[in-house]
Each structure stands twice: as C-alpha cells, then as structure tokens.
Amino acid sequence: VSELDNLLDRLGAALDEGLDEAARPAAARARARLAAAIAAGPDPTATPGPAHRATHGPPARIRRRIGRLRGHWPGALATGLTVAVAVTVLLLALGTGGHRSAAPAASVPSRLPLGSELNPSGPTGVIGSSVRLAVVVPDPEGSGPAWGLKTYRVRGGMTCFQAGREQDGRIGAVGAYGSYGDDGRFHPFTFSDVGFGTCVPSDARGHAFDNVAYANAPASASGEPCRTFPRGFPPHVLAAFRRRLAAQGHAADCRTANERLVAFGLLGPDATSLTYRTAHGTKTVRPRGPDGAYLIVEPVDQAVYCNNCGYTGGGGADGMSLPDGLIAAITYRHAPPCHAPPRTHDLATMLRYRPCRDVGFVAPYRPHITEADVASPVTVRVVSGPICVHGGIYRPAQLDITCPARVPPGYFRRRGGPETLVYITWRAREPVRNVNDSTYAYQIDNGCNGGGQGSSTQAVIRAGTIVTRDMQVFRSGQCRAPVTGSVVYVPVLGPNGQQAIAMASRRGAPGTYLVGRFSFTVPR
Amino acid sequence: MSSDSDATLLRRSIEQPDAFAELFDRHFPAVHRYLRRRLGDELAGELAAETFLQAFRSRGRFGDGSTGSVVAWLYGIAANLVRMNHRAEERRLRAYARAAGRQPSSEPEIAVADRLDARALGPALALALAELSPPLREVLVLHAWAELSHEEIAAALGCSATAVRTRLHRARAQVAAELGDRGGALLTDAEVNR
C-alpha cells in the first residue's frame, strides 16, 4: 500500500461529509424503485441467461415480496414523505420556487458555505447588511434572465460570492437548456449554495480577493451534470433506458450553444478597470462595489484562449490566480496596471514579466509579538500499533488513536503505512481568533533522509489553552535516529487564506515564532 | 441476514426475487458511498438505485456456476453508469479542490511545506484525479475506494488482471506527476516505508 493510497483514503473520507444524512433517503428511494420493479414482473428489456427460468410467482407471492420490501423500511419512507411535505410547505411559506420576492434578508445557512470549512470551529451565518447584488449583465444570446454576481459576508471572517442567473435580486438557475426538466421556472440559490462561486477569507479591511472562470458553464447556470446523450440516443440504447434517462430532466443539455463562458471575481477596492479578450477583440468593464466585483458572460468560442478556465482561484500569499488567457489587463487607482502573462517562448520577455498581485490586500492579523510571548514547553507521547483514523470530514482536533480490539464507531483502521503515532502537546499562549489569519504549525523531522511531515491546528484557540495534536510517523524501519520537531506560531496570511506554513522554522522562518522544540525515539 | 453467499443469494433470486432484497441490504450502503464520493449526493442516489435495478433485471446473466464476485459485478454496473457521467465527476473533484481552498503552488517553499503536510494534498489530489482519463480513474478508485482486488476490478471492467495492473501503474504515475515534486516525494516516502 503506497502513501498515495492513504491520501486517497483521506480524500474519500473528506468527500464522505454528510454521508449519513444522504444515505437514508437514497436507500429509501432505491428500495421503492426496486419494489416497483419487482411488482412490475418480468422486465421486457432484460435478457435472462440460461439459469433464468422466468418462473415468476403468482400475484399473491409478488404482493408478499412487496410487503417484505416495504416492511423493511416503513420508517424511512414515512420520514421521507414527512420531510418532503414539510419542505414543500416551508418553501411555499417563504415564497421561494420561482415566486417573486423581496430582496434577500439575513439568513443562517443550513450548513457551512463552501470554503468556510476552513473555519469549522468558528461562528457561521450570513451578515444580512453585507448582502449586495454587485453586478448584473445581460445574457450574450439575449436568452432568459440576466446574469448576476452577489457578495455577502459570513461570520468568521469570510466573504462568499455566488454567480448565476438573476431575477428580482436573487441569484439562481433557470429551468431551460435541459436543466430542471425545462420547466421554464427560476430556481433561486440559497446562501449556502454559492453556485459557481465560493467563499474566501476577508482581509483586514473586510475585502475579499478571488477570481473564477468556467469555459463551459451551462447556460441555465445550474451547474448540473450533462445529459447523457445530448444529441439523441444512439440506436443501441434500449427503449426502457431511454425513457428513464429522458425522465431525468435534472441534467443540462451540454451542446455548445447551451453553454457560456462565465468568469467573475473580486479585484479589491482599488481596481478601476478590467479588460478581457473575446473572439472579436477586447472589452473593458468597470469593477463594481467595495470589493471590485466583475462578471463576464460570453458565448463559448474556441477562438478565446482561456488558461485556467474551469479552475477556481486560490491564489497565494503574494500571487494572484487569474484566467490569464481571458483577462488581458487590470488597472488600479494607486498602482501600476497589471497585464496577463505574455504568450511567448522568448525567455527574456518571460523573465521581464511581473505577475499580477492582489493590489489593496491588507493582511488581517499581524500582531507585534516576540518568541518570548509564545514560548511554551512542548511534550510528546508516542504510541505504537495499528492506527485508527476518523472517518467523515476532517476535524483537526479529533485525534487518531491506536486501534483497540474493536474499531470504535466513527473510526476506520488505516491500511498499511506507519504504526507509530505521536501526540504533541503545548500551551497556546497567543490566541488564534480566526483560523484564516493565524495558526499554530507543528512538524517533525524523521531523523533520516531529511524526511518528515507537519500540519497546523486549523482551529480557533483561546489564549492559555492546552493544545494536543496527533501525527503519524512515516519513516523506514531501518531508521534508528531520534525524531525531532518543533511547534511554531504563524500569523502569516495571504489573500484567499493560503497560509505559508513555516516548516523551515528550525532555521527561523520569517514571519513565524518558535513555541518550542521536542524529540523522541520511535519504539522498535 | 442469512449466511448465504452473495452468489447463492443472487442465483436464488432468479426464482425467488425477494432474495434480492438481502443483496440490496448487504451492498447498497457501500455502493452508494462509493458513487457519492465520485458523483455527489443527487447523482449517487439515482445511480445507486439504477445499479441495483439493472442488477436485479440482469441477475440471470450473472451465469450458472459463476465463481465471480457479485460485489465486483455490482461495481461493474456502477462503473458503467459513472462512465456516462464522468464530466459530473470531474466537476465534483474540481469543486472539492476549490472548496478546500488550497491549490497546488509552484512556489518552492510552499511546495516543500505542502509535501510535508499530507493533509494539504487533498485538493491537489482531487485535481489530479479530475485530470485522469476516465478508464485510469476508474481503476484507481475501484482499488482505493471500493477496495477491490486486481482480479475483482478485472471482472468488474471486463478486462484482464494484467491490464488492471498496467492501468493502475499508469494512473499512479500520472497522479504523482500531476502532484509535481510533492507527488514524487510521496512515492519516495512510500518506497522508504516498504
């Protein structure tokens, strides 16, 4: 088993977020369909093998089967129906589902918005006064409602922005181009559903910086998967399967005519113009609002080179992520203009090029402290044996353990890899008020071949808290040298929350403050 | 639940369709979880239901006296359905990478830090998976997430175990290459740990 498998395990566990809530209704629906299939008798599309004698029983027997299938899950079905009715009533009461409504009011998302998992232990909720419909542009084909970009702040220091079709001040998707069964209605997004957008940490002045682009966004703005056979069914597709697929109206028809190039972002308060390329030249738009918001919606045209399209922002401590084939230039009030990278192989030209930066970004938290302010004894406890790790969403404060005889609920046994775990404990003398602008980082050097690993606390921490984190020790069985490590306090941050985790703290990395060092030997 | 094997239950279900309910109970959670990881809630629910519907309707094709794994057969049906939705899967992986907020960086000092922090590689790994061709991604996730053996994957996909090994090797190499220096370091670490 390679380390890659272990990483895939962790990725799978992260993608399992909310699995329990999703599994029950899915199982109930599947069981109902299976029960209906059994009740329908032999399927004309099935091609039984030699073992199939097609001896389906009399109706009474079928009824018993249905009874058994339904009898297994009456609670789930009843719960599903109750929830469906309740949701319908609630939606009607709230005036959603395509009805006209007033400007959106403050709301608390039912779950964390995308991106705010960066701050799982912080408060969440949309700050109502921050909700702003920043940009509205017409559809380039003149089809359906305009497109809009909405921004709003979320408690915990995040700014979210959602893009899509705009109607009555709301952002959503339209039931057209194959989406939502072509029902012709407007389907508004909730605050938790940022559509094509995302959430990023705000800077010290409350502004956010990010850029997003999609070269082939569904014209409905639904972000739904494509229809399986947009150009019609091939002859080999069975009739029953065609009917089922056709009934799945919840799928976009992804022909080029039904797609748009959609790019949007927040350039900051100092941006004054943005120029982008089209198939016929360039266009210039003026960023709007305090965040410098822009929204581009154009027909899909292969002539437009869009590097990074289909890839969302991120950025870095001092860089800016741009769909650089699309964006040609940005101008600022008090800074030189920024240009897209030159499309050349000439080395001298490339070296002269200076990448765009997030002009106006102010790091949100940079306290004037010394290492004496954060220094603390660091203790470690080393345990060996098969390791049990948490399933579900990754929570930094949930410690992995050595597996007892019976794997505890919520854990799973780690396959292969190291069987040594170290718990690192220290006193956090300096608080972490917001995980998006400071953190404690801890790292180990495995003592051989320069290898090691590290992580960060990624949680809000009160001053004086005793903090414990775990780390699995990866190293060769032949390595006998002691493992050394350190804990550092890192108040460094760049736009979009990317933290420069100071793994080089042994030599005193700039912008980091040493809490303490430790060492231990790995049991044989 | 009975102690009958999956194959026994499946064959019995040809004449006693209610026996299929037990197969459903045994394997729906795992198949649903697998599909959900790949395609998200909505499609996973739909395709997991479709997987068992297709399995139920074609249970006679599993073959008399077949010694193949019913689990592999179910995942094979699921794989066919996923294949028709590979764009949805790629969008989901990219959305995950975006939400996790840490994109791979070309800056050397950050690359080193990320290499050392395996947890930070999740978004980069999701992007690397999205970049894989559907057949390579299929083999990799059937191995890693469905935990099928080479032989079971071969049965699920209708190819030889040798072909599975070859694809798995290519998929790993391509993911490592996508992860850049960090991926290479991971493979090196894995070698060290052997």
Side-chain angles (χ1 to χ4, degrees), chain A residues 157-233:
Chain A
M158 306 286 285
T159 296
C160 299
F161 51 109
Q162 59 180 190
R165 296 285 189 154
E166 184 272 338
Q167 182 171 296
D168 301 327
R170 311 185 75 173
I171 301 296
V174 291
Y177 312 102
S179 294
Y180 295 99
D182 288 319
D183 64 5
R185 300 175 69 195
F186 180 71
H187 299 261
F189 297 154
T190 65
F191 283 115
S192 293
D193 183 356
V194 291
F196 298 142
T198 186
C199 300
V200 294
S202 310
D203 79 347
R205 294 190 290 174
H207 299 303
F209 298 76
D210 202 7
N211 298 279
V212 179
Y214 292 99
N216 302 93
S220 61
S222 70
E224 289 174 317
C226 296
R227 238 177 220 170
T228 309
F229 302 111
R231 292 175 180 82
F233 294 107

Coordinates of all heavy atoms in Angstrom, one line a residue, chain A residues 157-233:
Chain A
G157 N -15.2 35.8 9.3 CA -14.2 36.5 8.5 C -14.2 36.0 7.1 O -13.1 36.0 6.4
M158 N -15.3 35.5 6.6 CA -15.3 35.0 5.2 C -16.2 35.9 4.3 O -17.2 36.5 4.8 CB -15.9 33.6 5.1 CG -15.2 32.6 6.0 SD -13.6 32.1 5.4 CE -14.0 31.0 4.0
T159 N -15.9 36.0 3.1 CA -16.8 36.6 2.1 C -17.1 35.6 1.0 O -16.3 34.9 0.5 CB -16.0 37.8 1.4 OG1 -15.8 38.8 2.4 CG2 -16.9 38.4 0.3
C160 N -18.4 35.5 0.8 CA -18.9 34.5 -0.3 C -19.4 35.3 -1.5 O -19.9 36.4 -1.3 CB -20.0 33.6 0.3 SG -19.5 32.6 1.7
F161 N -19.3 34.7 -2.6 CA -19.9 35.3 -3.8 C -20.4 34.2 -4.7 O -19.9 33.2 -4.9 CB -18.9 36.2 -4.6 CG -17.6 35.6 -4.9 CD1 -17.3 35.2 -6.2 CD2 -16.6 35.3 -3.9 CE1 -16.0 34.7 -6.5 CE2 -15.4 34.8 -4.2 CZ -15.1 34.5 -5.5
Q162 N -21.7 34.4 -5.1 CA -22.4 33.5 -5.9 C -22.7 34.1 -7.3 O -23.1 35.3 -7.3 CB -23.6 32.9 -5.2 CG -24.6 33.9 -4.8 CD -25.9 33.3 -4.1 OE1 -26.8 34.0 -3.9 NE2 -25.8 32.0 -3.7
A163 N -22.6 33.3 -8.3 CA -23.0 33.8 -9.6 C -24.0 32.9 -10.3 O -24.1 31.7 -10.0 CB -21.7 33.9 -10.5
G164 N -24.8 33.5 -11.1 CA -25.8 32.7 -11.8 C -26.8 33.6 -12.5 O -26.5 34.8 -12.7
R165 N -28.0 33.1 -12.8 CA -29.0 34.0 -13.4 C -29.6 34.8 -12.3 O -29.7 34.4 -11.2 CB -30.1 33.1 -14.1 CG -29.5 32.3 -15.2 CD -29.4 33.1 -16.5 NE -29.1 32.3 -17.7 CZ -29.3 32.7 -18.9 NH1 -29.9 33.9 -19.1 NH2 -29.0 32.0 -19.9
E166 N -30.0 36.0 -12.7 CA -30.5 37.0 -11.7 C -32.0 37.3 -12.0 O -32.4 37.5 -13.1 CB -29.7 38.3 -11.7 CG -30.1 39.3 -10.7 CD -31.2 40.2 -11.1 OE1 -31.5 40.4 -12.3 OE2 -31.9 40.8 -10.2
Q167 N -32.8 37.2 -10.9 CA -34.2 37.6 -11.1 C -34.7 38.2 -9.8 O -34.5 37.6 -8.7 CB -35.1 36.3 -11.4 CG -36.5 36.7 -11.6 CD -37.3 35.5 -12.1 OE1 -37.1 35.0 -13.2 NE2 -38.3 35.0 -11.4
D168 N -35.2 39.4 -9.8 CA -35.7 40.1 -8.6 C -34.7 40.1 -7.5 O -35.0 40.0 -6.4 CB -37.0 39.4 -8.1 CG -38.1 39.4 -9.2 OD1 -38.1 40.3 -10.0 OD2 -38.8 38.4 -9.2
G169 N -33.4 40.3 -7.9 CA -32.4 40.5 -6.9 C -31.9 39.2 -6.4 O -31.0 39.1 -5.5
R170 N -32.4 38.1 -6.9 CA -31.9 36.8 -6.4 C -31.1 36.1 -7.5 O -31.3 36.3 -8.6 CB -33.1 35.9 -6.0 CG -34.1 36.6 -5.2 CD -35.2 35.6 -4.7 NE -34.7 34.7 -3.7 CZ -35.5 33.9 -3.0 NH1 -36.8 33.8 -3.3 NH2 -35.0 33.1 -2.1
I171 N -30.2 35.3 -7.0 CA -29.3 34.5 -7.9 C -29.8 33.1 -8.0 O -30.1 32.5 -6.9 CB -27.8 34.6 -7.5 CG1 -27.3 36.0 -7.4 CG2 -26.9 33.8 -8.5 CD1 -27.3 36.8 -8.7
G172 N -29.8 32.5 -9.2 CA -30.3 31.1 -9.2 C -30.0 30.6 -10.6 O -29.2 31.1 -11.4
A173 N -30.8 29.6 -11.0 CA -30.7 28.9 -12.3 C -32.0 28.9 -12.9 O -33.1 29.0 -12.3 CB -30.1 27.5 -12.1
V174 N -32.1 28.7 -14.3 CA -33.3 28.7 -15.0 C -33.6 27.2 -15.4 O -32.7 26.5 -15.8 CB -33.4 29.6 -16.2 CG1 -33.4 31.1 -15.7 CG2 -32.2 29.4 -17.1
G175 N -34.9 26.9 -15.5 CA -35.3 25.6 -16.0 C -35.3 25.6 -17.5 O -36.4 25.7 -18.1
A176 N -34.2 25.6 -18.1 CA -34.1 25.6 -19.5 C -32.7 24.9 -19.9 O -31.9 24.6 -19.1 CB -34.1 27.1 -20.0
Y177 N -32.5 24.8 -21.2 CA -31.3 24.1 -21.8 C -31.1 22.7 -21.2 O -30.0 22.3 -20.9 CB -30.1 25.0 -21.4 CG -30.2 26.4 -21.8 CD1 -30.5 27.4 -20.8 CD2 -30.1 26.9 -23.1 CE1 -30.6 28.7 -21.1 CE2 -30.2 28.2 -23.4 CZ -30.5 29.1 -22.4 OH -30.6 30.4 -22.7
G178 N -32.3 22.1 -20.9 CA -32.2 20.7 -20.3 C -32.2 20.7 -18.8 O -32.5 19.6 -18.2
S179 N -31.9 21.8 -18.2 CA -31.9 21.8 -16.7 C -33.3 21.9 -16.1 O -34.2 22.5 -16.7 CB -31.1 23.0 -16.2 OG -29.7 22.8 -16.6
Y180 N -33.4 21.2 -15.0 CA -34.7 21.3 -14.2 C -35.9 20.9 -15.1 O -37.0 21.4 -15.0 CB -35.0 22.6 -13.6 CG -34.0 23.0 -12.6 CD1 -32.9 23.9 -12.9 CD2 -34.0 22.5 -11.3 CE1 -32.0 24.2 -11.9 CE2 -33.1 22.9 -10.3 CZ -32.1 23.7 -10.6 OH -31.1 24.1 -9.7
G181 N -35.6 19.9 -16.0 CA -36.7 19.4 -16.8 C -37.3 20.5 -17.7 O -38.5 20.4 -18.1
D182 N -36.5 21.5 -18.1 CA -37.0 22.6 -18.9 C -38.4 23.1 -18.4 O -39.3 23.4 -19.2 CB -37.2 22.1 -20.4 CG -35.8 21.9 -21.0 OD1 -34.9 22.7 -20.8 OD2 -35.6 20.9 -21.7
D183 N -38.5 23.3 -17.1 CA -39.8 23.7 -16.6 C -40.0 25.2 -16.7 O -41.1 25.7 -16.4 CB -39.9 23.3 -15.1 CG -38.8 24.0 -14.2 OD1 -38.1 24.9 -14.7 OD2 -38.8 23.7 -13.0
G184 N -39.0 26.0 -17.2 CA -39.2 27.4 -17.5 C -39.3 28.3 -16.3 O -39.5 29.5 -16.4
R185 N -39.0 27.7 -15.1 CA -39.0 28.5 -13.9 C -37.7 28.9 -13.4 O -36.6 28.4 -13.9 CB -39.7 27.6 -12.8 CG -41.1 27.2 -13.1 CD -41.6 26.2 -12.1 NE -41.9 27.0 -10.8 CZ -42.1 26.4 -9.7 NH1 -42.1 25.0 -9.6 NH2 -42.3 27.1 -8.6
F186 N -37.7 29.9 -12.5 CA -36.4 30.3 -11.9 C -36.2 29.6 -10.6 O -37.1 29.5 -9.8 CB -36.5 31.8 -11.7 CG -35.3 32.4 -11.1 CD1 -34.1 32.6 -11.8 CD2 -35.3 32.8 -9.8 CE1 -33.0 33.1 -11.3 CE2 -34.1 33.4 -9.2 CZ -33.0 33.5 -9.9
H187 N -35.0 29.0 -10.4 CA -34.7 28.3 -9.2 C -33.7 29.0 -8.4 O -32.5 28.9 -8.7 CB -34.2 26.9 -9.6 CG -35.3 26.1 -10.4 ND1 -36.1 25.1 -9.8 CD2 -35.6 26.1 -11.7 CE1 -36.9 24.6 -10.7 NE2 -36.6 25.2 -11.9
P188 N -34.1 29.7 -7.4 CA -33.1 30.6 -6.7 C -32.2 29.7 -5.8 O -32.6 28.7 -5.3 CB -34.0 31.5 -5.8 CG -35.3 30.7 -5.7 CD -35.5 29.9 -6.9
F189 N -30.9 30.2 -5.7 CA -30.0 29.6 -4.8 C -30.2 30.1 -3.4 O -30.6 31.2 -3.2 CB -28.5 29.9 -5.2 CG -28.1 29.4 -6.6 CD1 -27.1 30.1 -7.3 CD2 -28.7 28.3 -7.2 CE1 -26.8 29.7 -8.6 CE2 -28.4 27.9 -8.5 CZ -27.4 28.6 -9.2
T190 N -29.8 29.2 -2.5 CA -29.8 29.7 -1.1 C -28.4 30.3 -0.8 O -27.5 30.2 -1.6 CB -30.0 28.5 -0.1 OG1 -28.9 27.6 -0.2 CG2 -31.3 27.8 -0.4
F191 N -28.2 30.9 0.3 CA -26.9 31.4 0.7 C -25.9 30.3 0.8 O -24.7 30.5 0.6 CB -27.0 32.2 2.0 CG -27.6 33.5 1.9 CD1 -28.8 33.9 2.5 CD2 -27.0 34.5 1.1 CE1 -29.3 35.1 2.3 CE2 -27.5 35.8 0.9 CZ -28.7 36.1 1.6
S192 N -26.3 29.1 1.1 CA -25.4 28.0 1.3 C -25.0 27.5 -0.1 O -24.0 26.8 -0.2 CB -26.0 26.9 2.1 OG -26.2 27.3 3.4
D193 N -25.8 27.7 -1.1 CA -25.4 27.2 -2.4 C -24.9 28.4 -3.2 O -25.6 29.2 -3.8 CB -26.7 26.7 -3.1 CG -26.5 26.1 -4.4 OD1 -25.3 26.1 -4.9 OD2 -27.4 25.6 -5.0
V194 N -23.5 28.4 -3.3 CA -22.9 29.6 -3.9 C -22.8 29.4 -5.5 O -22.3 30.2 -6.1 CB -21.5 29.8 -3.4 CG1 -21.6 30.3 -2.0 CG2 -20.6 28.6 -3.5
G195 N -23.5 28.3 -6.0 CA -23.5 28.2 -7.4 C -22.1 28.0 -8.0 O -21.3 27.2 -7.5
F196 N -21.7 28.8 -8.9 CA -20.4 28.8 -9.5 C -19.4 29.4 -8.5 O -18.2 29.4 -8.8 CB -20.3 29.5 -10.8 CG -21.2 28.9 -11.9 CD1 -21.8 29.7 -12.8 CD2 -21.3 27.5 -12.0 CE1 -22.6 29.2 -13.8 CE2 -22.1 27.0 -13.0 CZ -22.8 27.8 -13.9
G197 N -19.8 30.1 -7.5 CA -18.9 30.9 -6.7 C -18.2 30.1 -5.6 O -18.1 28.9 -5.6
T198 N -17.8 30.8 -4.6 CA -17.1 30.2 -3.5 C -17.0 31.2 -2.3 O -17.6 32.3 -2.4 CB -15.6 29.8 -4.0 OG1 -15.0 29.1 -2.9 CG2 -14.8 31.0 -4.3
C199 N -16.3 30.8 -1.3 CA -16.1 31.7 -0.1 C -14.6 31.8 0.1 O -13.9 30.8 0.1 CB -16.8 31.1 1.1 SG -18.6 30.9 0.9
V200 N -14.2 33.0 0.5 CA -12.8 33.2 0.7 C -12.7 34.1 2.0 O -13.6 34.8 2.3 CB -12.0 33.9 -0.4 CG1 -12.0 33.0 -1.6 CG2 -12.7 35.2 -0.8
P201 N -11.5 34.0 2.7 CA -11.4 34.9 3.9 C -11.3 36.4 3.5 O -10.7 36.7 2.4 CB -10.0 34.5 4.4 CG -9.7 33.2 3.8 CD -10.4 33.2 2.5
S202 N -11.9 37.2 4.3 CA -11.8 38.7 4.1 C -10.4 39.2 4.6 O -9.8 38.6 5.5 CB -12.9 39.4 4.8 OG -14.2 38.8 4.5
D203 N -10.0 40.3 4.1 CA -8.7 40.9 4.6 C -9.0 41.8 5.8 O -10.1 41.9 6.3 CB -8.0 41.5 3.4 CG -8.5 42.9 3.1 OD1 -9.6 43.3 3.6 OD2 -7.8 43.7 2.4
A204 N -8.0 42.5 6.2 CA -8.2 43.4 7.4 C -9.2 44.4 7.2 O -9.8 44.9 8.2 CB -6.8 44.0 7.7
R205 N -9.5 44.9 6.0 CA -10.5 45.9 5.8 C -11.8 45.3 5.3 O -12.7 46.0 4.9 CB -10.0 46.9 4.7 CG -8.8 47.7 5.1 CD -8.4 48.8 4.2 NE -7.9 48.2 2.9 CZ -7.6 49.0 1.8 NH1 -7.9 50.3 1.9 NH2 -7.1 48.5 0.8
G206 N -11.9 44.0 5.4 CA -13.2 43.3 5.1 C -13.4 43.1 3.6 O -14.5 42.7 3.2
H207 N -12.3 43.2 2.8 CA -12.5 43.0 1.4 C -12.0 41.6 1.1 O -11.2 41.0 1.8 CB -11.6 44.0 0.6 CG -12.1 45.4 0.8 ND1 -13.3 45.8 0.6 CD2 -11.4 46.5 1.2 CE1 -13.4 47.1 0.8 NE2 -12.2 47.5 1.3
A208 N -12.5 41.0 0.0 CA -12.1 39.7 -0.5 C -11.5 39.8 -1.9 O -11.8 40.7 -2.6 CB -13.3 38.8 -0.4
F209 N -10.7 38.8 -2.2 CA -10.0 38.8 -3.5 C -10.0 37.4 -4.0 O -9.6 36.4 -3.3 CB -8.5 39.2 -3.3 CG -8.3 40.6 -2.8 CD1 -8.5 40.9 -1.5 CD2 -7.9 41.6 -3.7 CE1 -8.3 42.2 -1.0 CE2 -7.7 42.9 -3.2 CZ -7.9 43.2 -1.8
D210 N -10.6 37.2 -5.2 CA -10.6 35.9 -5.8 C -11.0 36.0 -7.3 O -11.7 37.0 -7.6 CB -11.5 34.9 -5.1 CG -11.1 33.5 -5.4 OD1 -10.0 33.2 -6.0 OD2 -11.8 32.6 -4.9
N211 N -10.7 35.0 -8.1 CA -11.1 35.1 -9.5 C -11.5 33.6 -9.9 O -10.8 32.7 -9.6 CB -10.0 35.5 -10.4 CG -9.6 37.0 -10.1 OD1 -10.2 37.9 -10.5 ND2 -8.5 37.1 -9.2
V212 N -12.6 33.6 -10.6 CA -13.1 32.3 -11.0 C -13.5 32.3 -12.5 O -14.0 33.4 -13.0 CB -14.4 31.9 -10.2 CG1 -15.0 30.6 -10.6 CG2 -14.1 31.9 -8.7
A213 N -13.3 31.2 -13.2 CA -13.7 31.2 -14.6 C -14.1 29.8 -15.1 O -13.5 28.8 -14.6 CB -12.5 31.7 -15.5
Y214 N -15.1 29.7 -15.8 CA -15.6 28.5 -16.4 C -15.7 28.6 -17.9 O -16.5 29.5 -18.4 CB -16.9 28.0 -15.8 CG -16.8 27.6 -14.4 CD1 -17.1 28.5 -13.4 CD2 -16.3 26.4 -14.0 CE1 -17.0 28.2 -12.0 CE2 -16.2 26.0 -12.7 CZ -16.5 26.9 -11.7 OH -16.4 26.6 -10.4
A215 N -15.0 27.8 -18.7 CA -15.1 28.0 -20.1 C -16.4 27.4 -20.7 O -16.9 27.8 -21.7 CB -13.9 27.3 -20.8
N216 N -17.0 26.4 -20.0 CA -18.2 25.7 -20.5 C -19.2 25.6 -19.4 O -19.6 24.5 -19.0 CB -17.8 24.3 -21.0 CG -16.7 24.3 -22.1 OD1 -15.5 24.3 -21.8 ND2 -17.2 24.5 -23.3
A217 N -19.7 26.7 -18.9 CA -20.7 26.7 -17.9 C -22.1 26.5 -18.5 O -22.4 27.0 -19.6 CB -20.7 28.0 -17.1
P218 N -23.0 25.7 -17.9 CA -24.3 25.5 -18.5 C -25.0 26.9 -18.6 O -25.0 27.7 -17.6 CB -25.0 24.6 -17.5 CG -23.9 23.9 -16.8 CD -22.8 24.9 -16.7
A219 N -25.7 27.1 -19.7 CA -26.4 28.4 -19.9 C -27.5 28.6 -18.9 O -27.9 29.7 -18.6 CB -26.9 28.5 -21.3
S220 N -28.0 27.5 -18.3 CA -29.0 27.6 -17.3 C -28.4 28.1 -16.0 O -29.2 28.5 -15.1 CB -29.6 26.2 -17.0 OG -28.6 25.3 -16.6
A221 N -27.1 28.1 -15.8 CA -26.4 28.4 -14.6 C -26.7 27.4 -13.5 O -26.4 27.6 -12.3 CB -26.8 29.8 -14.0
S222 N -27.1 26.2 -13.9 CA -27.5 25.2 -12.9 C -26.3 24.5 -12.3 O -26.3 24.0 -11.2 CB -28.4 24.2 -13.5 OG -27.7 23.4 -14.4
G223 N -25.2 24.4 -13.1 CA -24.1 23.6 -12.6 C -24.4 22.1 -12.5 O -23.7 21.4 -11.8
E224 N -25.4 21.7 -13.3 CA -25.8 20.3 -13.2 C -24.9 19.5 -14.2 O -24.3 20.0 -15.1 CB -27.2 20.1 -13.6 CG -28.1 20.7 -12.5 CD -29.6 20.6 -13.0 OE1 -29.8 21.0 -14.1 OE2 -30.4 20.2 -12.2
P225 N -24.9 18.2 -14.0 CA -24.3 17.3 -14.9 C -24.9 17.4 -16.3 O -26.1 17.7 -16.4 CB -24.4 15.9 -14.3 CG -25.6 16.0 -13.4 CD -25.6 17.4 -12.9
C226 N -24.2 17.0 -17.3 CA -24.7 17.0 -18.6 C -25.7 15.8 -18.9 O -25.5 14.8 -18.3 CB -23.6 16.9 -19.7 SG -22.5 18.3 -19.6
R227 N -26.6 16.0 -19.8 CA -27.4 14.9 -20.2 C -26.5 13.9 -20.9 O -25.5 14.2 -21.5 CB -28.4 15.4 -21.2 CG -29.8 15.2 -20.8 CD -30.8 15.8 -21.8 NE -31.9 16.4 -21.1 CZ -32.8 17.1 -21.7 NH1 -32.6 17.4 -23.0 NH2 -33.8 17.7 -21.1
T228 N -26.9 12.6 -20.7 CA -26.1 11.6 -21.2 C -25.9 11.6 -22.7 O -24.8 11.5 -23.3 CB -26.7 10.2 -20.8 OG1 -26.9 10.3 -19.4 CG2 -25.7 9.1 -21.1
F229 N -27.0 11.8 -23.4 CA -26.9 11.8 -24.9 C -27.5 13.1 -25.4 O -28.7 13.1 -25.9 CB -27.6 10.6 -25.5 CG -27.1 9.3 -25.0 CD1 -27.9 8.5 -24.1 CD2 -25.9 8.8 -25.3 CE1 -27.4 7.3 -23.7 CE2 -25.4 7.6 -24.9 CZ -26.1 6.8 -24.0
P230 N -26.8 14.1 -25.4 CA -27.4 15.4 -25.8 C -27.9 15.5 -27.2 O -28.7 16.3 -27.6 CB -26.3 16.4 -25.5 CG -25.0 15.6 -25.5 CD -25.4 14.3 -25.0
R231 N -27.3 14.7 -28.1 CA -27.6 14.7 -29.5 C -28.6 13.6 -29.9 O -28.7 13.2 -31.0 CB -26.4 14.6 -30.4 CG -25.5 15.9 -30.2 CD -24.2 15.8 -31.0 NE -23.4 17.0 -30.8 CZ -22.7 17.3 -29.8 NH1 -22.6 16.4 -28.8 NH2 -22.0 18.4 -29.7
G232 N -29.3 13.0 -28.9 CA -30.2 12.0 -29.2 C -29.6 10.6 -28.9 O -28.4 10.5 -28.8
F233 N -30.5 9.7 -28.7 CA -30.0 8.4 -28.2 C -29.4 7.5 -29.4 O -30.0 7.5 -30.5 CB -31.1 7.6 -27.6 CG -31.6 8.2 -26.4 CD1 -32.9 8.8 -26.3 CD2 -30.9 8.1 -25.2 CE1 -33.3 9.4 -25.1 CE2 -31.4 8.7 -24.0 CZ -32.6 9.3 -24.0

